[in-house]
Amino acid sequence: MITMDSFSFSGKKALVRVDLNVPQDANGKVTDDTRARAIIPTVKKIIGDGGSAILMSHLGRPKGKVNPAMSLKPIADHLSSLLGQPVLIATDCVGPDARAKSAALKPGEVLVLENLRFHPEEEAGDEAFSKSLSELGDVYVNDAFGTAHRAHASTTIVAKFFPQAKLFGYLMQAEIDSVGKVLGSPQRPMTAIVGGSKVSSKIDVLRNLIGSCDELIIGGGMANTFVKAMGGSTGASLVEEDLLGTARSIVKEAEAKGVKLHIPADAVVADAFAATANIDQCDSDAVPVGWMALDIGPKSIETFRASILRSKTLLWNGPMGVFEMEPFQQGTIAIAQAVAEATSHGAFSLVGGGDSVAAVNQFGLADRISYVSTGGGAMLEYLEGKALPGIKAVLG
Ligand code: AMP
């Protein structure tokens, strides 16, 4: 298995799947370039070695049709300013222009292919389309963790045309290594913190984590389903009635495996789903009729914090409350701070899978976490214990 550090790209044309699917304003200006910045180390290594980089990505959802509003041109221009050198753009990702520009590429140069999803063959994982892409480069690098859970042409199928010359980019490798530190052979005790709105979207994550963690903290809207399943009164809180049995079986599974399960003891409750609602606190199993639990309360914060601070490995996925509204963000802030504090005492912390990433960024704590994942859906599937097609294709 070749790696970025062991491989010399000298004289090679590297075909690199990156994630340049960045948010833009109405004029196409990049509003958050986190994903573009994340691929810079990989691109710099390739060109620094004396190779050239052919970058391919999707942008938005053009649904298999050319849509000028979703052109990668403005992103290529932005990338050029990040790299401090010109970046070429091909008018398509396959066909004569892509072939000619790739063929003419000199060592040290960077070319961005036009949006892969202008072709329906990309998401269909079409073999012939994958082969056309493969013909542009000598070596395949996958650095797009955000799409590693999709068996698309550029993320998965193309790898088969590089049986001896395929590898992970730095970003992808960092994501894989971080999950390995949590789910592989973690330093113990290992605590997983799972929040967010619904149990339904996290059942497989919870089941998989029960197999590897010592303590499991459940917060957010999904905790209400657990509280109700254990006989509590949840008022008008978000509860998935059809999952009460599932919640009970997860509690039993945790018991059977000796995993210490933490469900919130108290809650911040409101009489409407609004920042302007009347707000109170109560035990989480005694929410008054018509009121809803929108954050964890102070007793829960104290217990969760203690669990986090005694851990050597931490995984956090999903907020503890409706953190988008100021009155309900204290629980999420407190957990973010506890994770950062544990990290400063030597614990390894991984925050991944959507809104908890937004939360640590919003609260300015991202640089105090060991690793903040770039892939929402991909991270969630990885934490479910699934083999991601984009990873399998490079390893296989
Ligand atoms: P998810 O995408 O499943 O990780 O869920 C994230 C969403 O869960 C955020 O938008 C939160 O506002 C929401 N959320 C967290 N706690 C609650 C709660 N107690 N009731 C309703 N929604 C919540």
Side-chain angles (χ1 to χ4, degrees):
M1 168 92 205
I2 48 177
T3 64
M4 285 299 288
D5 286 329
S6 68
F7 189 78
S8 171
F9 289 91
S10 175
K12 301 262 194 265
K13 291 190 165 87
L15 180 68
V16 195
R17 181 41 158 112
V18 290
D19 185 358
L20 291 176
N21 185 33
V22 295
Q24 293 167 280
D25 66 14
N27 302 317
K29 197 170 168 302
V30 177
T31 53
D32 177 353
D33 67 354
T34 311
R35 288 180 182 149
R37 284 179 187 277
I39 63 159
I40 297 295
T42 294
V43 177
K44 284 212 159 143
K45 156 74 178 167
I46 294 167
I47 56 180
D49 274 2
S52 54
I54 303 164
L55 308 182
M56 51 179 179
S57 176
H58 73 284
L59 178 65
R61 294 201 170 99
K63 302 202 172 118
K65 292 202 186 75
V66 175
N67 179 343
M70 294 177 196
S71 168
L72 278 164
K73 174 84 174 73
I75 324 293
D77 291 342
H78 187 82
L79 194 62
S80 163
S81 66
L82 291 178
L83 284 167
Q85 71 172 66
V87 169
L88 304 160
I89 175 114
T91 55
D92 197 352
C93 60
V94 288
D97 188 62
R99 275 202 303 273
K101 286 188 175 139
S102 299
L105 213 55
K106 293 190 202 63
E109 290 186 337
V110 179
L111 169 70
V112 172
L113 302 178
E114 188 51 284
N115 197 337
L116 290 157
R117 291 193 191 166
F118 285 174
H119 293 263
E121 293 89 346
E122 161 63 2
E123 289 184 80
D126 183 82
E127 187 107 6
F129 177 77
S130 306
K131 187 162 189 295
S132 303
L133 288 172
S134 76
E135 284 161 3
L136 303 176
D138 312 309
V139 49
Y140 172 67
V141 180
N142 191 344
D143 210 21
F145 181 72
T147 46
H149 57 318
R150 307 278 182 232
H152 295 168
S154 67
T155 63
T156 303
I157 314 302
V158 70
K160 74 166 72 156
F161 299 102
F162 298 90
Q164 308 300 330
K166 49 185 178 175
L167 65 156
F168 298 125
Y170 284 124
L171 174 65
M172 185 86 150
Q173 191 65 58
E175 299 273 355
I176 295 170
D177 291 348
S178 305
V179 174
K181 281 187 191 160
V182 172
L183 298 183
S185 45
Q187 297 254 39
R188 299 203 175 267
M190 131 86 162
T191 296
I193 309 141
V194 183
S197 54
K198 292 183 170 170
V199 180
S200 47
S201 58
K202 308 271 167 91
I203 296 172
D204 294 337
V205 174
L206 291 171
R207 290 232 154 93
N208 191 39
L209 291 174
I210 284 174
S212 60
C213 67
D214 302 295
E215 299 193 36
L216 176 60
I217 293 172
I218 295 182
M222 59 189 285
N224 302 317
T225 300
F226 282 86
V227 172
K228 184 155 190 183
M230 307 308 282
S233 302
T234 48
S237 303
L238 173 72
V239 168
E240 287 167 284
E241 298 287 343
D242 52 333
L243 290 178
L244 295 173
T246 304
R248 276 190 287 270
S249 81
I250 289 173
V251 172
K252 281 210 185 90
E253 248 174 82
E255 253 167 35
K257 297 216 161 102
V259 173
K260 194 167 180 163
L261 187 65
H262 301 278
I263 310 280
D266 59 349
V268 173
V269 292
D271 62 356
F273 191 83
T276 51
N278 290 307
I279 293 169
D280 204 350
Q281 287 177 9
C282 65
D283 285 349
S284 56
D285 60 357
V287 178
V289 173
W291 287 65
M292 54 192 86
L294 295 182
D295 196 6
I296 55 172
K299 283 190 266 182
S300 314
I301 289 178
E302 207 181 300
T303 325
F304 293 3
R305 195 181 138 74
S307 159
I308 291 166
L309 290 179
R310 65 177 167 257
S311 303
K312 289 272 185 306
T313 303
L314 291 157
L315 166 70
W316 181 21
N317 172 289
M320 295 290 101
V322 184
F323 76 105
E324 298 93 334
M325 297 184 200
E326 203 269 336
F328 315 115
Q329 56 180 217
Q330 286 314 314
T332 303
I333 292 178
I335 294 317
Q337 282 170 339
V339 172
E341 205 175 316
T343 311
S344 70
H345 297 148
F348 177 81
S349 54
L350 167 62
V351 176
D355 275 347
S356 35
V357 172
V360 291
N361 284 326
Q362 186 179 324
F363 306 139
L365 290 165
D367 58 357
R368 295 183 55 204
I369 307 295
S370 309
Y371 194 79
V372 179
S373 174
T374 58
M379 182 48 83
L380 209 60
E381 287 198 21
Y382 211 6
L383 296 176
E384 288 170 357
K386 291 190 184 141
L388 305 188
I391 294 181
K392 255 190 356 198
V394 169
L395 294 176

